[in-house]
Amino acid sequence: MKYLPWFGFALLAACGSVDVPVERYYRLQPSQAETPDPMRAGTLRVYDLQLGTALDSDRLLFQSGVSLEPRQLARWVAPLDRMVTDAMVLGLSRARVCELVKGSADAGTETWSLHGRIIDFVEAQTDQGSVARVALELWLEHDGQLVFHEEFVRVEPLSESGPDAAVVALSRGLNQVVEGVVAQMRSLELFATAHKQQQAALLAQPPR
């Protein structure tokens, strides 16, 4: 019996050396600010994006074939639909093509309103390796009229499979969606038209 305490100490020391899995929290990486566009004009409101039921999880998701599994130790720091919406607002603001980019709760009027759904936002295993898949269905309105309705899909290869690489690639894919929205608005000459209207309104003002 005199050896029992020493056995207990040895057991506790052995247990203390075991690595305990640690839960980690992730957020999306924001885009970089661009140089202001000379034709910068108009106010864009981004409404809260809807999240598909299959993606409604606070954990990062991994897809292999038809199986979709949450990563047990990798969580988003906030609800995914809120984070993607915030990233869209910040990304479009940092694109410097609009005078102002607002969220759904911000006061005031807008020139255009952007609405949409998050269709895909996962790490997926393919024959070519792991990729990040980002797919958003987005539509833009002006005075209640539909301007465009597109599905923006980006597939980004991962340097390695895992949550760290997945978050980097998902962020990159989402930033490319923002670029796609800006390119679509430019192709329709929305900024140029809004800029001309603003200049005409200023010229029409009586002199002070």
Side-chain angles (χ1 to χ4, degrees), residues 8-207:
F9 288 137
L11 182 62
L12 287 173
C15 291
S17 64
V18 175
D19 290 334
V20 178
V22 177
E23 199 166 52
R24 302 180 69 184
Y25 289 81
Y26 293 88
R27 68 172 185 173
L28 296 169
Q29 295 181 328
S31 59
Q32 299 298 315
E34 301 291 337
T35 303
D37 192 297
M39 305 302 289
R40 185 178 183 181
T43 298
L44 173 63
R45 184 186 299 278
V46 180
Y47 280 90
D48 294 344
L49 299 177
Q50 304 171 40
L51 184 64
T53 304
L55 303 177
D56 192 6
S57 173
D58 63 347
R59 302 179 190 274
L60 276 69
L61 297 174
F62 178 82
Q63 183 169 354
S64 178
V66 297
S67 174
L68 186 64
E69 300 290 339
R71 289 192 175 276
Q72 295 303 316
L73 298 176
R75 289 180 180 269
W76 293 114
V77 73
L80 182 59
D81 53 344
R82 186 67 260 164
M83 284 204 307
V84 174
T85 300
D86 288 348
M88 290 290 294
V89 172
L90 180 60
L92 289 164
S93 178
R94 287 185 169 181
R96 300 293 191 263
V97 289
C98 297
E99 288 290 344
L100 180 64
V101 179
K102 303 193 293 188
S104 59
D106 292 324
T109 60
E110 66 273 354
T111 315
W112 311 283
S113 60
L114 186 68
H115 312 254
R117 303 183 184 93
I118 305 167
I119 300 173
D120 218 357
F121 208 82
V122 301
E123 175 189 349
Q125 183 66 40
T126 69
D127 294 338
Q128 289 73 40
S130 292
V131 299
R133 285 208 305 254
V134 177
L136 271 64
E137 179 189 6
L138 300 171
W139 60 94
L140 187 77
E141 295 181 0
H142 171 65
D143 289 339
Q145 300 297 313
L146 185 65
V147 178
F148 71 73
H149 178 201
E150 298 286 347
E151 186 173 323
F152 295 85
V153 180
R154 298 294 183 269
V155 178
E156 287 290 312
L158 269 64
S159 57
E160 59 182 0
S161 179
D164 287 16
V167 170
V168 171
L170 288 167
S171 300
R172 189 165 59 242
L174 184 58
N175 291 336
Q176 290 179 5
V177 169
V178 170
E179 294 171 2
V181 171
V182 171
Q184 185 81 340
M185 295 180 73
R186 276 194 174 124
S187 70
L188 297 170
E189 299 185 347
L190 299 182
F191 305 121
T193 300
H195 183 77
K196 290 178 182 177
Q197 291 173 346
Q198 286 181 357
Q199 293 301 310
L202 287 174
L203 292 174
Q205 291 180 357

